[in-house]
Amino acid sequence: MDETTTFPAQQPAAVGASTPLAGLAGLAFSKGHGTGNDFVLIADAGDAHEVTPEQVALLCDRHVGIGGDGLIRAVPSRFLPEGRALLEQDPAAEWFMDYRNGDGSLSEMCGNGVRVFVQFLITEGLVDLAQGQTLTIGTRGGVKKVVRTTNGYAVDMGPWEFIFPREATSKAMDALVSADGLEVARPGLSVSMGNPHTVVALAELAELSATQLFKAPVVEPKPVNGTNVEFVVPAEPLVEAGVGTITMRVHERGVGETQSCGTGACAAAVAIRHWAGPTAPNDWHVKVPGGVVGVKFFPGAGGREHVELSGPAVIVASGTLS
C-alpha cells in the first residue's frame, strides 16, 4: 500500500537550536524494502543533496527518524568520481546507487538495495523499464545489470571470490566466529561479493533461532574492512528438484541484524555449495526472515563465475521532510 507521510526533520531540541537534519527541510524521500531489508531513498538528479553520515544515521533511526537499514541516494554517475570511472567502462551506467549503511558508513554494495533502487527510479519516472528489459547502474561494487522480471528483479551481482583463497581451498574454512547464544566458536568461510561476508553453517533451525545478533559477532581473523556475518542452516534434504535450500540470519556491518541481505544470501550459497562438493546445484532458494530470494550461478565474462540474485522490491511510502 502506498502512503504519503510527512516526517519532522528535527528531533526534540531547545527552542532555536539547529539540528543536523534542519538543512534537509523540504527534501522528498521514499521508503522501500526488498524482503524486509528497508531503505530511505532520495532522488538527487542535480547532485544537490549529498547527505552527511550524521544525517544518514538520524534518518535511518527507527525512533527519531524515518527508519531503515540504510539510505540510498539516486544520483547521476557523472557527478561522482566512482561513477565517472564506471562510465568509462560502461557508458550505460547513467545512474549511481550512492549507498550508506544505517550508521552513515559507506558500503560497496547491497543486493536487496539494488532491486529497490531500480524500483525507485521507475516510480520516480527517472527511467523506463519494461518486463524483460535490462538496466545498467553504477555502484561502489562495480557496474550491475538488473533485469525486470514478473515477480521483481534479477541482478547480475558479478563474480564472487574467496577472501582467503588458500585457506578456503585447503581447509574449507578461514575464520572462527563467536556469537552470543552459541556455546563455542564456529568455523567460518569468508566470501567477497564486492563486499565482505563470513558464513557459518549451523546444524539445525533451533540453533539458528538461539543465536543472538544484538551485537556484532566476533570474527578472527577479521577481513580488513570488517565483515557481514551469515549464520546458515542447510535444508534436509539439501537439494530437491535440482534446487538447494538454506535458511539464513545475518548481522550486517554498520547496521546490526536485518531481515534480509542480498549479497549475504549470495555469499551463503557460495559457502554451502563449496562445502557440499562438486555435485551441489547452481540454483538456490535462500530463506531469510523477510522472505525468500533466489541465487543462481552462471558462467560470466572472462571465464569467471557470476552470481544472479532475484527477488521482489516494493516502495511502501513517500513524503517530504518538514
Side-chain angles (χ1 to χ4, degrees):
M1 179 176 67
D2 291 331
E3 298 178 2
T4 300
T5 310
T6 301
F7 287 86
Q10 297 187 8
Q11 300 180 71
V15 176
S18 62
T19 70
L21 294 184
L24 300 180
L27 181 64
F29 71 89
S30 291
K31 174 74 176 284
H33 78 91
T35 53
N37 201 183
D38 60 339
F39 311 94
V40 180
L41 300 113
I42 295 170
D44 193 4
D47 191 32
H49 301 291
E50 184 171 358
V51 187
T52 68
E54 187 178 13
Q55 290 170 332
V56 171
L58 285 171
L59 287 170
C60 291
D61 190 288
R62 299 189 184 279
H63 299 286
V64 299
I66 299 165
D69 293 322
L71 182 141
I72 300 172
R73 185 173 68 112
V75 60
S77 295
R78 67 181 184 275
F79 288 121
L80 302 179
E82 307 99 311
R84 290 191 291 271
L86 293 177
L87 285 171
E88 293 180 2
Q89 301 175 27
D90 193 333
E94 176 184 355
W95 287 97
F96 191 91
M97 187 181 89
D98 184 14
Y99 177 63
R100 288 182 181 271
N101 295 314
D103 66 352
S105 60
L106 286 174
S107 181
E108 302 89 343
M109 248 296 291
C110 177
N112 292 318
V114 171
R115 302 196 311 274
V116 177
F117 176 72
V118 173
Q119 181 64 45
F120 176 64
L121 292 177
I122 295 169
T123 301
E124 292 293 302
L126 297 172
V127 301
D128 292 318
L129 191 68
Q131 185 175 316
Q133 290 184 327
T134 301
L135 181 69
T136 303
I137 63 169
T139 77
R140 290 187 176 85
V143 171
K144 304 300 176 187
K145 305 283 187 179
V146 185
V147 178
R148 191 170 190 177
T149 68
T150 55
N151 299 313
Y153 300 91
V155 187
D156 180 354
M157 302 292 287
W160 64 270
E161 61 183 359
F162 290 125
I163 295 175
F164 305 110
R166 180 180 300 176
E167 292 84 353
T169 54
S170 64
K171 300 188 295 183
M173 58 85 68
D174 52 43
L176 286 176
V177 180
S178 302
D180 290 346
L182 295 178
E183 293 183 358
V184 297
R186 304 301 174 89
L189 187 61
S190 300
V191 177
S192 174
M193 287 300 311
N195 59 353
H197 299 268
T198 302
V199 183
V200 177
L202 300 179
E204 55 187 28
L205 294 175
E207 193 173 33
L208 182 65
S209 298
T211 304
Q212 299 176 24
L213 300 179
F214 300 112
K215 62 182 181 181
V218 176
V219 179
E220 297 178 346
K222 183 169 67 175
V224 175
N225 295 319
T227 188
N228 305 288
V229 182
E230 288 76 30
F231 294 91
V232 184
V233 177
E236 182 58 49
L238 177 62
V239 180
E240 289 189 293
V243 178
T245 299
I246 57 179
T247 301
M248 180 188 92
R249 290 176 62 197
V250 58
H251 186 284
E252 291 195 49
R253 291 177 306 170
V255 183
E257 183 175 12
T258 60
Q259 292 291 295
S260 181
C261 176
T263 54
C266 295
V270 168
I272 296 298
R273 188 181 67 151
H274 180 67
W275 287 324
T279 62
N282 290 325
D283 292 297
W284 294 81
H285 289 160
V286 182
K287 298 179 180 180
V288 294
V292 180
V293 295
V295 174
K296 179 183 293 186
F297 297 90
F298 64 97
R304 297 188 67 185
E305 187 174 62
H306 282 221
V307 186
E308 178 190 87
L309 174 72
S310 59
V314 181
I315 302 299
V316 296
S318 61
T320 305
L321 294 171
S322 63

